[in-house]
Amino acid sequence: MGNKALFIGVDSHELDPALCPPDDIHRLHYLKATLLGETKAFQPEDIVVLLNPDVQQMRQAIAIFSRNVHRRDLRLLYFATVGILAPQDGSESAAPSQLYLAAHGSRAGHLADSALSLDFLRGTLNSSQSERQVLVFDCDWNSTISYGSGDAGRYHELTQLAQLPSAHRVVLGHRLASGICPQPWQPETSYLGCLMTGLTSQLADQNGDGVISIQDLQQYLEAEAIAIDAPWRPVLYDGGHHRSDRLDSSMSLFELPSFEPEMEYRRSVEEAVQEDAGQISTLSRKVLDFLSHKLALSARTTQTIETDVLRPYTEKRQKLEEYQSVFWEAIQIESPPRRAVRRRLRYLQRQLDLGDTDIQFAEHHILSQMQTPSATPPSPKTTDVPRPADVPRPAALRLGAINPIKAPEIA
């Protein structure tokens, strides 16, 4: 039991090369990294990610996702795929069409067996005991594929999505403004990016009660879309006209942690150190001093936090300086170093636990100084720290990339 999330992304470019852009993998990585790094709502084992799954994998994952649930557990289901509209009877009649969600390998004429129907999705979620179900459709509905559908008008598929909500289920989505062509995905201006910013920054808590509700989030997204002149508009599906079927707009998504001045200051220090290559620049120092004053933190507290954040960078800098000192002595004897010397340098690298990128950075620093005429030998010390993958980053950036495989196992 507990909160669970299921993220499903299908590369729409593989379904139809005319669809653009193929960016679902980036969205899934961003979403998982942000949720784990910036919220306490999920643990790594609580999130399942499917990249380009076939329909059987999608159905199995959704079924597992809906089981063993306490009624107050949050179930967050995210789709980044493309819609497929087709007549329900397989003919080209004027009968209402049915919306399918594309899976990897979906085929026209065999959608019932190769794509996910809304009927299956609704029926499976209805069997769940969770009273906090949130579905997010981050789909490019402009690129919806229509096979023999007699339906006219844009966004007919959104009307079909409106059949999914219930008293315990909310459906969120978006649509592009009229005449707007889809652009390559950018988290800063995208629907998903604004949604996650509202949740993680707590800006979506419109009434300041410490809980972000569906109503709070929708109001925030509507205002943000206007403020940044976004090409999309948020959509909230309310379950129809019958009161008993309408969702509770006060349904909570996240309960925000109590405000902790020390944690807020630490996050700001981490961001500053990351931007300043392992140091705190003059400008960052002024900003941090102002922040510490506003948070009423003592000098001792801020110093402790800064020392703790800087410690990994300081230790790495010391290791780099030690390696540079030895490398400097080696190239004074022979440059480039012969094979035996290189073996000793490699041994030193392992002892110092430095990566190959670190070594390249350290040696380049020394060699570049040697190329500049100077009366004194170049200093092996450097004030910068390279930015390889093993340099500590803020929590939201420490997650590994998701491998884009065709048939991932359901974890």
Side-chain angles (χ1 to χ4, degrees), residues 49-364:
V49 178
L50 292 183
L51 295 175
N52 292 326
D54 60 33
V55 67
Q56 288 302 114
Q57 290 174 314
M58 290 174 69
R59 290 171 179 168
Q60 182 182 3
I62 294 171
I64 295 174
F65 174 76
S66 303
R67 298 173 190 161
N68 301 323
V69 182
H70 186 273
R71 67 184 186 87
R72 293 306 301 160
D73 291 341
L74 174 65
R75 287 296 183 266
L76 176 61
L77 181 54
Y78 171 85
F79 285 100
T81 183
V82 67
I84 304 177
L85 280 172
Q88 294 190 37
D89 57 5
S91 66
E92 296 187 11
S93 65
S97 62
Q98 183 170 0
L99 176 64
Y100 292 88
L101 300 176
H104 179 69
S106 292
R107 305 181 307 279
H110 302 277
L111 295 177
D113 299 323
S114 63
L116 185 73
S117 69
L118 293 193
D119 288 341
F120 175 88
L121 181 60
R122 180 172 51 248
T124 305
L125 293 176
N126 283 345
S127 66
S128 174
Q129 296 181 357
S130 171
E131 297 180 359
R132 295 172 61 210
Q133 301 177 23
V134 180
L135 277 65
V136 179
F137 289 90
D138 191 15
C139 302
D140 173 19
W141 299 120
N142 272 3
S143 298
T144 296
I145 303 172
S146 180
Y147 292 121
S149 172
D151 295 303
R154 300 173 70 242
Y155 299 120
H156 175 81
E157 60 277 4
L158 299 185
T159 303
Q160 300 213 9
L161 289 181
Q163 302 171 12
L164 285 175
S166 69
H168 306 306
R169 184 184 312 129
V170 59
V171 177
L172 300 172
H174 65 94
R175 56 184 171 188
L176 293 177
S178 178
I180 298 296
C181 179
Q183 299 296 320
W185 184 76
Q186 296 291 336
E188 296 80 9
T189 58
S190 69
Y191 170 79
L192 179 61
C194 289
L195 186 149
M196 295 309 299
T197 297
L199 293 177
T200 59
S201 69
Q202 306 181 13
L203 293 175
D205 183 13
Q206 298 286 289
N207 55 12
D209 63 353
V211 176
I212 296 179
S213 67
I214 299 299
Q215 186 179 46
D216 285 337
L217 183 59
Q218 184 67 7
Q219 290 177 355
Y220 169 81
L221 289 171
E222 290 173 352
E224 190 67 11
I226 295 174
I228 67 174
D229 193 24
W232 49 267
R233 290 296 180 267
V235 181
L236 173 65
Y237 304 98
D238 63 6
H241 301 290
H242 300 289
R243 186 65 188 176
S244 60
D245 292 333
R246 296 178 70 87
L247 62 90
D248 181 0
S249 62
S250 64
M251 179 196 297
S252 66
L253 287 175
F254 293 131
E255 294 184 5
L256 303 177
S258 57
F259 179 75
E260 299 180 11
E262 292 83 359
M263 291 303 298
E264 181 66 23
Y265 187 77
R266 182 185 181 89
R267 176 179 299 187
S268 298
V269 174
E270 288 178 342
E271 292 175 352
V273 171
Q274 173 64 26
E275 290 298 321
D276 298 337
Q279 303 179 86
I280 298 179
S281 67
T282 302
L283 176 60
S284 296
R285 168 52 57 204
K286 292 180 179 179
V287 173
L288 292 174
D289 287 346
F290 175 80
L291 179 62
S292 65
H293 175 72
K294 284 302 208 180
L295 296 175
L297 296 175
S298 67
R300 182 176 180 177
T301 298
T302 58
Q303 182 62 45
T304 300
I305 294 173
E306 291 177 14
T307 300
D308 188 52
V309 172
L310 286 168
R311 182 177 295 109
Y313 296 89
T314 302
E315 293 175 352
K316 171 152 285 188
R317 186 176 293 108
Q318 292 171 347
K319 292 178 180 179
L320 287 170
E321 291 175 357
E322 183 175 348
Y323 181 88
Q324 287 176 322
S325 178
V326 174
F327 179 72
W328 163 253
E329 295 177 2
I331 60 177
Q332 297 308 300
I333 301 173
E334 184 177 24
S335 182
R338 61 183 182 274
R339 184 175 300 178
V341 175
R342 270 295 174 194
R343 285 200 298 270
R344 294 180 186 134
L345 289 172
R346 177 67 70 175
Y347 176 78
L348 176 62
Q349 174 187 348
R350 291 197 297 268
Q351 294 301 308
L352 295 175
D353 193 24
L354 293 173
D356 291 341
T357 304
D358 300 324
I359 296 306
Q360 293 172 8
F361 175 87
E363 294 185 0
H364 176 74

